[in-house]
């Protein structure tokens, strides 16, 4: 049969890539000059996608000693004719040297394909091609060598261009996500950064393609690590002699050598970014992988967790679409019960240590207002309430964390309900943030524990509630003395206990009575009347919630 250009089964290179695809045996056979020689593949047809590193003309039976691997060897067989032992050894020698293919020009030495060489090549899996028409080997050598040199030059040029571009982004203070986006653009494929346990720390690329990769990440990670995944190219992330992660080009469609250069330049940029203050990718590799501190840019694990939890809370991305990211981040998601928590601390490293100490799988991420979110993933037969209370108690056992508030929502058996649970936990945390009775609440505070304050927090953005609060408190909000509002807040929070209010504000009782009279006069209410006092109390709670 006559060989045709190797188009079927060979992925196309994205248009934005400036280098040429690798020259495979199939592609060499598809060159116009080669087609003029009427090539026929007589052995090893299943290995035609092997890369050709060089073209070499050789006739000696022990040709293998002159090769270094990847060569397409051209021969007329003039020194092999009539000696079947030499013919077999010639093929075996090429196989031992890991040659890409052998091309035999038919003529006086071999008018037809020699069976001994064909059978040996088939056994070795070495592509063997015969040319039925006379063909000047010099033309083929010149054509292939020039293409290979252009490809290598393009790859090196790309490598330097990428290095310059990424270094420029780093010196300009660009975030690491911008670097990864550029790498994904150059590679035309998803990019994934993992820690040494194959947990995904960051991704870049077109969202559908990234989701496809993450959906089957465990299998892909194993194959990429074993070097068996076609088109998956990885580079180690090493800093000060210690490996802390990997960068993986997922399904790269271009020349593998160019892909390796791209991955290496990207890895260099990530390490440089880290050395210049971009976070420590080694920390927090345990079950609750977060690491880092709030004052620093945070570890890769925390940034990944924060991105996932933020997307869950915002609802911008449906929860089901975030499942692959959660699974790739190391969170168990199959047949699990999820407990959303919001903790009043910015020390995510402490939360991570407590999770690992208790053996609770979960992810941790810092939030705004000196808080952190925790999402626990428990087995259905585990007591979610007891384990959550144990986590809170262990967290608050430290002297400097005794007043840490842990707000939570009821366990969710369906992943789709997790976003609502996280939002509820945030609302509970908001409700108890300024509560004078926060220390008297249970270890894990839930919506039912915050009563009226929780309800007001839920309704704080309602225009009717906002109007009600302004109308009820107008006499104090417009006045110059802000201390009266503070006195009113304490008086109502203590159940209208005058002695306790005077004590907390360090004033005498007569002085407090004068301030209460001023408050009642400005508001036009009688605070001894339960209904009027309750109305003012609700308005004050709404005002505080809106301000918070």
């Amino acid at each position: 049969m006559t060989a045709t250009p190797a188009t079927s089964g060979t992925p196309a290179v994205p248009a934005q890539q400036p280098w040429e695809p690798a020259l495979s045996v199939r592609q060499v056979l598809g060159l116009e000059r080669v087609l003029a020689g009427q090539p026929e593949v007589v052995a090893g047809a299943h290995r035609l996608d092997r890369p050709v590193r060089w073209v070499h003309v050789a006739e000696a039976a022990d040709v293998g000693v002159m090769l270094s691997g990847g060569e397409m060897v051209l021969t007329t067989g003039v020194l092999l004719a009539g000696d079947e032992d030499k013919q077999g050894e010639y093929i075996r020698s090429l196989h031992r040297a890991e040659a890409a293919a052998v091309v035999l020009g038919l003529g006086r030495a071999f008018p037809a394909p020699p069976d001994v060489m064909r059978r040996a090549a088939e056994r070795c899996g070495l592509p063997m091609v015969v040319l039925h028409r006379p063909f000047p080997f010099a033309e083929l050598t010149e054509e292939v060598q020039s293409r290979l040199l252009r490809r290598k030059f393009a790859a090196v040029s790309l490598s330097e261009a990428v290095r310059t571009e990424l270094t420029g982004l780093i010196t300009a203070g660009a975030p690491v996500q911008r670097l990864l986006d550029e790498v994904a653009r150059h590679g035309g494929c998803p990019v994934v950064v993992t820690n040494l346990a194959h947990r995904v720390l960051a991704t870049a690329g077109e969202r559908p393609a990234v989701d496809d990769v993450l959906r089957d990440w465990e299998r892909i990670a194993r194959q990429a690590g074993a070097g068996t995944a076609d088109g998956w190219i990885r580079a180690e992330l090493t800093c000060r002699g210690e490996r802390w992660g990997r960068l993986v080009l997922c399904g790269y469609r271009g020349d593998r050598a160019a892909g390796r250069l791209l991955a290496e330049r990207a890895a260099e940029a990530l390490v440089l970014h880290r050395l210049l203050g971009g976070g420590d990718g080694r920390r927090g590799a345990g079950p609750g992988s977060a690491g880092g501190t709030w004052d620093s840019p945070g570890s890769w694990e925390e940034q990944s967790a924060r991105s996932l939890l933020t997307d869950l809370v915002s609802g911008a991305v449906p929860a089901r679409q975030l499942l692959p990211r959660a699974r790739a981040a190391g969170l168990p998601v199959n047949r699990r019960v999820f407990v959303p928590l919001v903790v009043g601390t910015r020390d995510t490293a402490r939360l991570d240590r407590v999770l690992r100490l208790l053996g609770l799988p979960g992810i941790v991420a810092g939030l705004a207002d000196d808080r952190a979110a925790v999402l626990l993933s428990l087995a259905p037969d585990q007591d979610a309430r007891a384990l959550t209370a144990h986590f809170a108690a262990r967290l608050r056992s430290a002297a400097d964390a005794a007043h840490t508030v842990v707000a939570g929502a009821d366990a969710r058996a369906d992943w789709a309900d997790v976003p609502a649970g996280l939002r509820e936990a945030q609302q509970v945390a908001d409700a108890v943030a300024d509560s004078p009775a926060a220390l008297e609440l249970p270890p894990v505070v839930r919506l039912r524990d915050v009563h009226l304050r929780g309800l007001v927090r839920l309704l704080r953005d309602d225009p009717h509630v906002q109007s009600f609060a302004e109308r009820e408190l107008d006499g104090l909000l417009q006045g110059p003395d802000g201390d009266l509002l503070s006195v009113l807040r304490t008086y109502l929070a203590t159940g209208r206990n005058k002695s306790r209010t005077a004590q907390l504000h360090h004033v005498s009782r007569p002085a407090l009575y004068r301030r209460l009279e001023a408050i009642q006069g400005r508001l036009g209410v009688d605070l001894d009347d339960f209904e009027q006092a309750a109305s003012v109390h609700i308005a004050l709670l709404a005002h505080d919630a809106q301000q918070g």
Side-chain angles (χ1 to χ4, degrees), residues 453-530:
R453 186 180 297 271
L455 175 63
V456 172
R457 286 281 177 169
L458 290 175
L459 300 176
R460 64 182 176 182
D461 294 327
D462 189 296
H464 295 90
V465 175
Q466 295 173 358
S467 298
F468 168 77
E470 293 177 3
R471 184 174 62 252
E472 289 289 303
L473 302 175
D474 181 66
L476 290 182
L477 296 178
Q478 302 300 326
D481 191 357
D483 183 57
L484 292 180
L485 194 64
S486 176
V487 170
L488 175 63
R489 184 181 294 108
T490 304
Y491 179 63
L492 295 173
T494 58
R496 295 182 293 173
N497 186 321
K498 295 182 176 66
S499 297
R500 180 61 175 158
T501 302
Q503 181 183 13
L504 290 173
H505 282 269
H506 306 289
V507 298
S508 65
R509 287 177 64 99
L512 174 66
Y513 294 157
R514 289 194 295 272
R515 296 184 186 185
L516 291 177
E517 289 174 359
I519 291 172
Q520 293 180 103
R522 291 190 181 184
L523 297 182
V525 298
D526 179 5
L527 293 179
D528 290 330
D529 182 89
F530 175 78

Side-chain angles (χ1 to χ4, degrees), residues 274-336:
R274 175 185 165 191
L275 288 174
L276 294 178
D280 186 342
R282 296 172 296 163
R283 294 179 295 179
S289 56
T293 62
W294 184 255
D295 294 327
S296 70
S299 70
W300 285 80
E301 284 88 349
E302 182 174 356
Q303 293 178 38
S304 175
R306 185 186 301 123
S307 173
L308 174 61
L309 291 175
T310 300
D311 285 346
L312 280 169
V313 172
S314 68
V317 181
R320 291 294 178 189
Q321 293 184 20
L322 296 174
L323 263 177
R325 286 172 57 187
R327 185 182 292 110
L331 185 72
V333 295
N334 294 331
R335 295 185 295 278
R336 306 293 288 187

Side-chain angles (χ1 to χ4, degrees), residues 365-420:
L367 302 175
D369 301 326
D370 291 347
R371 294 177 186 166
V374 180
L375 181 60
L376 301 180
S377 174
L378 306 176
D381 58 349
Q382 291 180 294
D383 189 335
R385 185 172 291 274
L387 287 174
T388 307
H390 187 38
F391 165 75
R394 195 61 179 260
L395 177 66
R396 298 173 66 172
S397 63
D400 59 345
H403 297 167
T404 300
V405 175
V406 179
D410 290 332
R412 262 56 177 178
D414 190 336
W415 174 259
D417 295 332
V418 169

Side-chain angles (χ1 to χ4, degrees), residues 166 169-170 174-184 266 269-270 273:
L166 296 182
L169 289 173
I170 293 173
V176 71
Q177 186 62 50
R178 177 70 191 284
L179 271 64
L180 294 176
D181 289 341
E182 285 301 304
V183 174
L270 294 185
H273 187 277

Side-chain angles (χ1 to χ4, degrees), residues 150-318:
R150 288 199 303 270
R151 178 178 58 85
K152 290 182 179 180
F153 178 77
V156 173
S157 298
L158 167 76
S159 171
E160 292 308 309
V162 170
R163 172 184 280 154
T164 301
E165 182 178 353
L166 296 182
T167 302
L169 289 173
I170 293 173
T171 55
V176 71
Q177 186 62 50
R178 177 70 191 284
L179 271 64
L180 294 176
D181 289 341
E182 285 301 304
V183 174
R185 183 182 67 82
H186 279 292
C189 65
V191 176
V192 175
V193 177
T194 76
N195 62 15
L196 296 181
H198 302 299
R199 301 308 184 197
V200 174
L201 308 180
T203 62
E206 295 184 3
R207 193 75 253 168
V210 172
D211 288 343
D212 286 343
V213 169
L214 296 184
R215 193 169 291 112
D216 200 17
W217 177 247
E218 291 186 7
R219 179 186 62 81
I220 290 174
R222 286 195 300 270
Q223 291 184 348
T228 58
D230 184 29
W232 264 255
I233 301 174
R234 71 176 189 173
E236 301 296 331
L237 300 174
T238 304
C239 187
R240 299 187 180 95
E242 182 179 359
R243 288 192 305 122
W244 59 271
R246 298 182 181 92
L247 178 140
V248 186
L249 303 182
C250 303
Y252 179 75
R253 299 292 184 89
D255 171 29
R256 190 168 184 83
R260 282 196 296 269
L261 285 173
L262 176 61
E264 289 169 5
R265 296 297 85 80
E268 290 174 2
L270 294 185
V271 171
L272 178 60
H273 187 277
R274 175 185 165 191
L275 288 174
L276 294 178
D280 186 342
R282 296 172 296 163
R283 294 179 295 179
S289 56
T293 62
W294 184 255
D295 294 327
S296 70
S299 70
W300 285 80
E301 284 88 349
E302 182 174 356
Q303 293 178 38
S304 175
R306 185 186 301 123
S307 173
L308 174 61
L309 291 175
T310 300
D311 285 346
L312 280 169
V313 172
S314 68
V317 181

Side-chain angles (χ1 to χ4, degrees), residues 38 40-42 75-78 80-82 84 87 103-119 128-133:
Q38 295 183 358
E40 178 188 358
V41 180
V42 296
T75 181
T76 62
V78 66
L80 304 175
E84 292 187 349
Q87 295 169 20
V103 178
L104 174 65
L106 300 182
R108 287 180 297 175
F110 291 103
D115 287 341
V116 172
M117 295 179 68
R118 183 184 58 78
R119 288 196 299 269
M128 179 176 173
V129 182
V130 296
L131 300 175
H132 288 277
R133 295 186 60 182

